[in-house]
Amino acid sequence: MLDTKPYLVIPGTAADLGSRDPGSRQGFDGDKTEGKAALRPFNARLAALQTRLWAESERKLLVVLQAMDTGGKDGTIRHVFRGVNPQGVRVWGFGAPSERELAHDYLWRVHRRTPENGEITIFNRSHYEDVLVVRVKRLAPEETWRRRFGHIVEFERLLVEEGTTVVKFFLHISKEEQRDRLQSRLAESDKRWKFNVADLDDRKLWDDYIAAYEEALTLTSTEHAPWHVVPADRKWYRNLVVSSILIQTLEEMDPRYPPEPDLDGVVVE
Ligand code: AMP
Ligand code: MG
């Protein structure tokens, strides 16, 4: 298990993205091959914990994943949850809202996708887009998105007080790494489908997005729903960090199998 404390945004302090190294591999001495191999036992531990959460069926876990384009949200889900029983896990991606979604408050589409007892739900993007892309692309006036920081803190408090553990990850890549990843999407035929010309517009707004993330992470990392900034230039290290934090979170939840029914004398013919 990695020491993940450096990646927590301590509530009440600045996220300070500028001082965080997206290329960090602190606490892991091996190379990429060893890093990939190290994930296997983590996968097994996560799977065992999820089985207990599912069996207990009294609490739930919400995982929020945010990142710049090419930041690795899809890959994180694929690798970190390998081997976990799909029956107890849901993934929801939040793209640009539909007309129907826009006809409601911005949390409506999010709240209805939150996990049920026993489940782990992963948000691939989330309500945070409503203070990120909405801010950077000026889709709403400042007074509107600025109010949302308070809504979001209270919304997450509601979820936590009603039995959901909330853990949030910002997958932190460098601008150079994003260039390399976009270029390989262009160059490799099996990655081309992922290339979105609109990502180039967002890339031009890199600094604005970083500023928006900086404020969002700073204002919404709370004791009840903390943010982690995950060094994500190395995919294998990113996976180890996310997996470690999820394992620690579930170990703290310590889900229990339900009490065994009294089966004395029961015979299977
Ligand atoms: P992808 O994750 O590549 O499928 O892209 C989803 C797109 O939807 C991203 O460009 C997001 O910025 C955009 N998106 C997600 N949520 C919102 C929102 N609330 N308002 C506007 N755009 C959004
Ligand atoms: Mg995009």
Side-chain angles (χ1 to χ4, degrees):
M1 202 65 59
L2 294 180
D3 174 16
T4 59
K5 274 200 284 318
Y7 308 132
L8 171 69
V9 178
I10 297 169
T13 68
D16 204 6
L17 292 174
S19 76
R20 294 176 183 266
D21 175 12
S24 168
R25 42 176 291 170
Q26 201 180 315
F28 192 86
D29 287 330
D31 59 14
K32 178 176 173 178
T33 309
E34 290 161 323
K36 283 183 162 183
L39 189 63
R40 294 301 168 136
F42 288 15
N43 288 149
R45 279 173 79 170
L46 190 65
L49 284 158
Q50 185 257 353
T51 300
R52 278 163 51 193
L53 187 76
W54 179 250
E56 179 195 73
S57 208
E58 288 181 8
R59 289 171 293 166
K60 44 250 169 190
L61 177 63
L62 175 62
V63 180
V64 172
L65 279 183
Q66 285 288 155
M68 301 288 233
D69 292 317
T70 76
K73 301 189 303 304
D74 298 336
T76 300
I77 296 168
R78 201 164 57 244
H79 292 290
V80 168
F81 288 88
R82 185 191 292 138
V84 172
N85 182 355
Q87 189 146 245
V89 178
R90 288 178 204 255
V91 182
W92 293 109
F94 292 95
S98 67
E99 228 174 283
R100 178 144 187 255
E101 287 167 345
L102 284 172
H104 294 77
D105 69 85
Y106 68 100
L107 290 174
W108 176 78
R109 66 171 183 162
V110 174
H111 201 171
R112 56 208 291 265
R113 300 305 185 200
T114 52
E116 297 178 16
N117 279 340
E119 284 180 351
I120 300 176
T121 290
I122 304 152
F123 281 177
N124 185 338
R125 302 188 192 268
S126 65
H127 44 299
Y128 284 94
E129 293 293 329
D130 293 284
V131 292
L132 294 164
V133 65
V134 166
R135 171 180 183 164
V136 171
K137 297 280 191 67
R138 302 178 198 278
L139 303 177
E142 175 163 2
E143 60 171 11
T144 300
W145 57 255
R146 192 160 281 291
R147 282 196 299 258
R148 294 178 176 173
F149 293 124
H151 301 158
I152 289 172
V153 167
E154 291 309 317
F155 169 62
E156 291 173 355
R157 193 193 311 280
L158 162 89
L159 296 179
V160 171
E161 289 181 353
E162 294 288 324
T164 304
T165 297
V166 180
V167 57
K168 301 180 292 195
F169 297 102
F170 172 54
L171 308 179
H172 187 209
I173 56 165
S174 62
K175 197 173 178 188
E176 297 69 42
E177 179 67 18
Q178 188 191 56
R179 185 190 52 227
D180 292 351
R181 291 186 187 182
L182 286 171
Q183 275 172 349
S184 62
R185 283 182 183 185
L186 273 183
E188 295 168 38
S189 59
D190 61 339
K191 289 187 181 168
R192 271 213 167 181
W193 64 274
K194 286 204 237 179
F195 192 86
N196 180 350
V197 183
D199 290 352
L200 298 178
D201 298 331
D202 279 338
R203 180 170 168 78
K204 291 193 190 109
L205 298 168
W206 178 274
D207 291 343
D208 294 347
Y209 272 106
I210 289 291
Y213 267 108
E214 174 72 32
E215 191 168 20
L217 300 177
T218 298
L219 295 179
T220 63
S221 193
T222 56
E223 297 287 347
H224 60 272
W227 274 107
H228 297 271
V229 177
V230 178
D233 275 1
R234 287 185 174 84
K235 296 172 182 172
W236 59 267
Y237 186 77
R238 168 202 79 200
N239 293 339
L240 290 175
V241 171
V242 172
S243 186
S244 294
I245 291 168
L246 290 176
I247 289 168
Q248 283 157 18
T249 303
L250 279 159
E251 281 179 349
E252 278 166 33
M253 289 174 79
D254 195 20
R256 303 293 174 97
Y257 289 108
E260 289 179 19
D262 182 5
L263 298 175
D264 287 354
V266 175
V267 178
V268 180
E269 298 285 353

